[in-house]
Amino acid sequence: MQILIDADACPVIKIAEKAAMDCKVPVTLLCDTNHMLQSDYSSIKVIGTGADAVDFALITLCREGDIVVTQDYGVAAMALGKGAYGIHPSGMLYTDKNIDQLLMERHLAKKARRSPSQNHLRGPKKRTGEDDRQFEQAFRRLLEAAGEDG
């Protein structure tokens, strides 16, 4: 098992690395050339720029039983299709039961943003310490469950 993190603008890299280190699970951070990452624990793969280049590189590396940390529902869906686990930085687990609904909500939000109406969608709220705690708890539970399955 390995942990793959879609690291472009990921707010939970350090939390995931600490938990992975505690469990001795390798971590790979994937980012594009617009981001500079450093880590004493993870391997870092810098992927050329281009639409979805990091996403496709992550899915190419992904194997059954791996854990993928991503905010992108499309990446999560592809990871689930490969038999991997997926988790959002909020701590929400991606599952076969919720991914279709999440993809539909993403589609509808994109459609709303493109419409000429005055219905503007708000961006995400500011991340809090509680958000970090929720992610860490969910991530550690997932690491434990994935380790038992593998």
Side-chain angles (χ1 to χ4, degrees), residues 11-143:
V12 295
I13 293 170
K14 295 296 180 202
I15 297 167
E17 283 181 322
K18 183 177 181 332
M21 206 179 320
D22 292 346
C23 296
K24 297 178 178 51
V25 177
V27 176
T28 301
L29 306 176
L30 291 95
C31 65
D32 65 26
T33 56
N34 295 319
H35 295 84
M36 295 298 297
L37 298 177
Q38 292 182 330
S39 175
D40 294 330
Y41 184 73
S42 300
S43 65
I44 299 171
K45 292 197 180 292
V46 179
I47 311 302
T49 57
D52 303 321
V54 171
D55 299 344
F56 291 122
L58 186 150
I59 293 304
T60 299
L61 292 173
C62 184
R63 301 285 178 258
E64 183 176 350
D66 288 348
I67 296 175
V68 172
V69 180
T70 184
Q71 297 179 60
D72 187 313
Y73 298 162
V75 171
M78 289 186 282
L80 290 174
K82 291 186 102 176
Y85 301 92
I87 187 168
H88 187 277
S90 69
M92 175 188 65
L93 296 179
Y94 297 110
T95 67
D96 290 334
K97 293 181 179 175
N98 70 6
I99 196 66
D100 288 339
Q101 179 67 34
L102 293 169
L103 289 168
M104 178 57 74
E105 289 170 6
R106 179 181 78 165
H107 169 72
L108 294 173
K110 186 175 184 179
K111 197 172 172 180
R113 284 191 303 274
R114 288 183 174 174
S115 78
S117 73
Q118 296 299 316
N119 297 330
H120 296 289
L121 300 174
R122 291 196 171 117
K125 63 182 179 16
K126 185 171 172 58
R127 192 164 182 87
T128 66
E130 180 59 27
D131 295 328
D132 289 345
R133 282 188 290 284
Q134 286 178 0
F135 172 79
E136 183 174 8
Q137 290 172 352
F139 188 71
R140 286 185 181 273
R141 282 192 304 268
L142 178 57
L143 268 172

